[in-house]
Amino acid sequence: MSFLSILDLRVLGDPILRQDTKPVAVVTDDLRRLIDDMFETMHAAKGIGLAAPQVGRSERVAVVDVEGGSRPIVLVNPEVVSLDAKLEKREEGCLSIPDVFGDVERPGAAVVRALDRDGNPFEVQGTELLARCLQHEIDHLHGKLFIDYLSVLKRRAALAKWAKSKDRYPNYIRRLTAEEMAEHHHDEEL
């Protein structure tokens, strides 16, 4: 039996967060292990979504587990099939930019096509929080962060707040502490 690992999170400033990921050619046991470790890390960090670049990996893989959702979702090579024309504004945060939040306008519904943890194709339809989380994680796979959607003024304020705390993360690495894993965040961080 293999044990799961809590992976180090990469934070804003690490170049991998701004790079496009590489499509996965075949789902291997190593990739499934990465997926399991990503779920373990995301849950430990009290997040609801996590993309491979956030743990320093370049594969096009993300995991999502929205509370109240029917099941945790594995997204290998995800593609947005359709987005609702109606936009909704809601506060977002990100495990790679701790304690920074901003109101982001996104389509309220999304359909995404991907491969599951066994390499089988599927589609997932999401509304509200699930739709937002799917879009947020797919953005990560293309080097885009939620702060990119903020107005110049709000982005500047978010980056100023981040500048005050980024020194806590040498080499752009966020190692989860036992305290962080135990405390409860009032907001979801994607």
Side-chain angles (χ1 to χ4, degrees):
M1 181 174 165
S2 65
F3 293 96
L4 298 177
S5 300
I6 304 291
L7 305 171
D8 288 340
L9 293 166
R10 303 304 174 97
V11 297
L12 185 61
D14 189 315
I16 198 162
L17 293 176
R18 292 302 193 172
Q19 294 166 7
D20 211 6
T21 52
K22 296 174 184 64
V24 172
V26 61
V27 177
T28 62
D29 286 342
D30 284 344
L31 190 74
R32 281 189 277 274
R33 169 67 192 242
L34 171 64
I35 289 165
D36 294 343
D37 288 347
M38 285 173 63
F39 271 120
E40 185 76 3
T41 302
M42 177 188 73
H43 289 135
K46 309 289 188 283
I48 59 172
L50 188 66
Q54 293 180 273
V55 293
R57 300 287 294 257
S58 61
E59 294 93 341
R60 193 158 293 165
V61 175
V63 296
V64 171
D65 190 0
V66 174
E67 196 168 39
S70 56
R71 59 180 164 43
I73 302 168
V74 173
L75 300 164
V76 177
N77 299 337
E79 295 174 26
V80 175
V81 176
S82 67
L83 295 171
D84 192 16
K86 185 174 176 270
L87 298 178
E88 296 176 2
K89 187 177 268 197
R90 185 169 170 175
E91 185 177 73
E92 286 187 28
C94 181
L95 294 174
S96 291
I97 318 174
D99 304 319
V100 174
F101 300 91
D103 288 332
V104 177
E105 210 170 46
R106 293 189 189 267
V111 177
V112 172
R113 181 181 302 129
L115 302 177
D116 65 15
R117 66 176 286 119
D118 296 315
N120 300 313
F122 74 100
E123 277 191 7
V124 59
Q125 289 184 296
T127 59
E128 299 172 351
L129 185 57
L130 178 57
R132 180 168 296 277
C133 190
L134 290 167
Q135 293 170 71
H136 180 111
E137 298 314 322
I138 290 171
D139 276 352
H140 268 300
L141 299 177
H142 299 289
K144 191 164 187 171
L145 303 173
F146 86 91
I147 56 172
D148 299 340
Y149 290 94
L150 303 178
S151 69
V152 171
L153 218 55
K154 290 200 162 102
R155 184 169 42 243
R156 195 175 293 147
L159 291 172
K161 182 173 184 182
W162 171 246
K164 292 177 184 162
S165 61
K166 70 179 181 180
D167 290 342
R168 295 192 319 225
Y169 308 102
N171 301 316
Y172 307 113
I173 301 268
R174 176 182 172 196
R175 286 198 172 86
L176 296 174
T177 64
E179 295 80 33
E180 277 182 304
M181 290 184 247
E183 77 183 23
H184 294 282
H185 294 291
H186 73 281
D187 289 303
E188 302 98 358
E189 293 188 30
L190 304 169

